[in-house]
C-alpha cells in the first residue's frame, strides 16, 4: 500500500501535478474495476489518499478543492484534528462492545447531546427525545418505518417522488428517485404511496383525492419527508409545505418522519434543517455528517413513541463507541462556529452563483440553505440539460474542483462546513472558466 507523508499541510487551493488520472490513480482504478461491484457510480477517477479541511490529495499528489464532503458527510472538514483526537483516544480505550447488549458512556453521552437538541415538543420527561443508533441513513429510515408501524399499529406510508431514503428494502421502498435503483429488485415493501414533493397542490391531492379514495388516512402510519430534498435536486419546498404536513399528520393521527440524513447536522446552518420552518416532527432520522465520516446514524423520536420492548429492534454495531466519540466532537465543533460559517459561506456561494446565472443563462438561479446549495444546468430553450451538467463536472475535476450532480440536471454544493471565502471564490472562478468552454 502506498504511504504519503501526512506531516505536510495541504495547500488551500487546487494544485495539479500530473495529468488526470495520474499513474497511481490509474493503476488503482484498474484494480478496482476487476474486483468491486459495478453498481458503484463514480463520475470521475478520483483516488483519494488523504484529506484536510476542504482539500483532498490524490495518490499522485494532486490536490483538489472538495465541494462534495464525500456526499455531504465530512461536516467538520476532512480529518478535523479534534475529531481525529477523539477517535484516537476512544479507539485506544474501547473499539466495540455492542450497545445492544451492554452499556458504555460515549453512546449515552451522544444520545443525551442529540436528545436535548431535538426539535420536539418539551414534555414531562427529562429529554424531549429517545435515540436509537444505526450505522447509516438507510438503516435509520428502515428503523423509523418499523417504529412508526409498531407505534401506530398502521401499515401505510406516504413518501415523495424524487425522494432518496436509502437502498435497503424498507428505505428503497420509500425512495422515489431513479428507476435504476428499483429495477429488478421487486417486490418491495408494500403500502408506500408516492406523491410529488414540495407543493401545496401535492398535499391537496393527498387529502382531497387519495385520502378519500384509495388511501384511508386512518391506516397511514407515517408521512416520510426530507426537509430539503437531497438527491432529488436540493429542492426547497414551497412555504408552508412542511407546516401543512404537520397539520395533516395531527388531523389523522399520522406520524411525521423527517429524513435529515443529508440536510441535518448543521449543513443548512441549523443542527436540524426542519428548525428553519419551526415544525416539530415526531421522528427524525439522521446519519451522514453526524460523526464527520465515521459510519453512524440515529433515529430520534418523541419519547412516548419508543414503546417497543427489548428485542424488538437492535443492531450489533450501531452506536459504536468510536463513532459516538466522533459524534460528540462533531456537535461541539458545529456549535462552536461551523454552523455559523455554513450560513455565511452559503450566502457568499449563492451570491456568486447568482452572478454566474446573470452571466451564463445555462446556469439557473441557485437554491438551498446554508451549505446545501444547487443550480440547474439548462439548454438554450431552458430545459434541463444533464449532459451539460455532466461535462461541467468532468471539466471541473480536470481543474481540481470536486463537484457532484443531483436531481435532473443539478450541480450540488455540499462542501465541508469549514470552507472559507477564498475557497468559495475559487470554486466559482473554476465554474465560470469551465462554463465558457463546455
Ligand atoms: N436519506 C437521505 C436524505 C439521503 O440523502 C441518503 C443518502 O444519500 C440516505 C437517506 C441514505 O443514506 P446511506 O447512504 O447512509 O444509507
Amino acid at each position: 500500500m502506498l504511504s504519503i507523508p501526512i506531516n505536510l499541510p495541504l495547500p488551500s487551493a487546487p494544485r495539479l501535478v500530473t495529468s488526470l488520472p495520474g499513474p497511481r490513480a490509474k493503476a488503482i482504478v484498474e484494480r478496482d474495476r476487476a474486483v468491486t461491484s459495478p453498481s458503484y457510480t463514480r463520475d470521475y477517477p478520483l483516488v483519494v489518499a488523504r484529506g484536510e479541511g476542504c482539500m483532498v490529495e490524490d495518490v499522485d499528489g494532486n490536490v483538489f478543492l472538495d465541494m462534495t464532503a464525500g456526499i455531504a458527510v465530512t461536516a467538520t472538514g476532512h480529518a478535523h484534528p479534534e475529531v481525529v483526537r477523539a477517535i484516537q483516544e476512544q479507539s485506544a480505550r474501547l473499539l466495540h462492545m455492542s450497545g445492544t447488549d451492554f452499556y458504555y458512556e460515549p453512546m449515552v453521552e451522544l444520545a443525551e447531546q442529540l436528545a436535548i437538541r431535538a426539535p420536539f415538543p418539551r414534555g414531562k420527561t427529562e429529554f424531549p427525545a429517545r435515540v436509537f443508533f444505526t450505522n447509516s441513513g438507510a438503516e435509520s429510515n428502515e428503523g423509523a418505518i418499523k417504529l412508526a408501524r409498531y407505534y401506530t399499529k398502521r401499515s401505510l406510508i406516504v413518501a415523495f417522488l424524487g425522494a432518496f431514503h436509502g437502498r435497503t428494502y424498507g428505505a428503497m421502498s420509500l425512495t422515489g428517485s431513479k428507476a435504476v435503483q428499483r429495477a429488478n429488485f421487486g417486490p418491495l415493501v408494500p403500502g408506500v404511496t408516492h406523491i410529488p414533493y414540495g407543493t401545496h397542490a401535492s398535499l391537496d391531492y393527498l387529502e382531497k383525492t387519495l385520502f378519500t379514495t384509495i388511501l384511508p388516512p386512518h391506516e397511514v402510519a407515517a408521512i416520510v419527508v426530507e426537509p430539503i430534498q437531497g438527491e432529488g435536486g436540493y429542492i426547497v419546498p414551497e412555504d408552508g409545505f412542511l407546516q401543512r404536513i404537520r397539520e395533516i399528520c395531527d388531523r389523522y393521527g399520522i406520524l411525521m418522519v423527517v429524513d435529515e440524513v443529508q440536510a441535518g447536522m448543521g449543513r443548512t446552518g441549523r443542527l436540524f434543517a426542519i428548525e428553519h420552518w419551526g415544525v416539530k416532527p415526531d421522528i427524525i432520522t439522521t446519519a451522514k455528517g453526524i460523526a464527520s465520516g465515521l459510519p453512524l446514524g440515529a433515529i430520534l423520536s418523541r419519547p412516548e413513541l419508543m414503546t417497543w420492548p427489548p428485542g424488538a429492534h437492535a443492531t450489533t454495531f450501531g452506536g459504536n463507541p468510536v463513532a459516538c466519540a466522533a459524534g460528540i466532537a462533531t456537535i461541539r465543533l458545529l456549535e462552536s462556529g461551523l454552523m455559523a460559517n455554513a450560513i455565511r459561506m452559503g450566502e457568499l456561494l449563492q451570491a456568486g452563483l447568482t452572478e454566474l446565472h446573470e452571466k451564463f443563462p445555462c446556469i439557473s438561479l441557485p437554491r438551498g440553505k446554508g451549505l446545501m446549495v444547487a443550480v440547474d444546468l439548462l439548454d438554450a430553450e431552458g430545459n434541463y440539460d444533464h449532459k451539460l451538467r455532466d461535462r461541467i463536472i468532468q471539466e471541473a475535476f480536470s481543474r481540481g474542483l470536486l463537484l457532484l450532480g443531483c436531481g435532473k440536471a443539478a450541480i450540488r454544493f455540499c462542501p465541508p462546513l469549514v470552507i472559507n471565502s477564498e475557497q468559495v471564490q475559487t470554486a466559482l472562478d473554476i465554474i465560470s472558466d469551465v462554463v465558457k468552454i463546455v
Side-chain angles (χ1 to χ4, degrees), residues 30-285:
E30 268 161 33
R31 281 168 56 202
D32 178 279
R33 273 207 191 113
V35 73
T36 70
S37 164
S39 63
Y40 296 123
T41 50
R42 280 79 170 255
D43 282 341
Y44 40 80
L46 173 73
V47 182
V48 188
R50 68 167 166 144
E52 187 186 286
C54 217
M55 308 305 295
V56 295
E57 183 176 36
D58 80 358
V59 287
D60 296 288
N62 299 299
V63 178
F64 299 82
L65 175 56
D66 180 14
M67 298 299 279
T68 80
I71 329 187
V73 168
T74 55
T76 56
H78 292 281
H80 192 290
E82 283 185 38
V83 175
V84 171
R85 195 176 319 119
I87 291 170
Q88 285 170 337
E89 282 173 7
Q90 181 55 48
S91 57
R93 237 178 272 133
L94 179 72
L95 284 179
H96 172 77
M97 196 59 205
S98 192
T100 280
D101 282 346
F102 306 100
Y103 302 91
Y104 42 83
E105 194 172 2
M107 180 167 154
V108 182
E109 185 175 338
L110 182 58
E112 287 171 346
Q113 298 275 340
L114 290 168
I116 49 171
R117 291 166 174 80
F120 296 146
R122 306 280 129 171
K124 292 187 201 90
T125 50
E126 185 183 356
F127 292 101
R130 281 189 179 274
V131 181
F132 180 96
F133 286 110
T134 71
N135 304 282
S136 68
E139 258 185 82
S140 296
N141 287 321
E142 203 71 34
I145 306 174
K146 286 177 69 177
L147 180 61
R149 282 186 165 178
Y150 185 90
Y151 177 79
T152 60
K153 308 286 179 281
R154 303 174 179 187
S155 66
L156 303 178
I157 296 167
V158 174
F160 292 89
L161 293 170
F164 188 86
H165 297 290
R167 294 167 180 279
T168 52
Y169 267 94
M172 175 173 51
S173 305
L174 299 178
T175 290
S177 185
K178 295 193 177 114
V180 67
Q181 294 160 352
R182 291 179 156 230
N184 299 321
F185 292 131
L188 306 189
V189 173
V192 182
T193 302
H194 288 86
I195 58 173
Y197 178 79
T199 66
H200 285 281
S202 174
L203 298 181
D204 288 343
Y205 173 67
L206 176 67
E207 273 206 287
K208 293 186 186 146
T209 305
L210 293 180
F211 279 180
T212 56
T213 54
I214 56 170
L215 199 64
H218 294 102
E219 291 181 23
V220 176
I223 299 179
V224 183
V225 65
E226 293 166 87
I228 296 175
Q229 207 172 58
E231 302 299 306
Y234 279 22
I235 313 286
V236 181
E238 283 177 8
D239 287 346
F241 173 79
L242 293 161
Q243 287 89 337
R244 218 173 130 198
I245 292 181
R246 177 71 271 173
E247 286 159 22
I248 292 172
C249 286
D250 288 342
R251 202 167 304 136
Y252 301 105
I254 298 169
L255 297 181
M256 180 173 184
V257 179
V258 171
D259 179 341
E260 293 260 359
V261 170
Q262 187 149 177
M265 300 317 290
R267 174 148 299 284
T268 67
R270 299 285 180 90
L271 194 61
F272 299 103
I274 192 75
E275 293 171 36
H276 288 284
W277 289 274
V279 172
K280 296 191 185 312
D282 299 297
I283 297 175
I284 285 178
T285 58

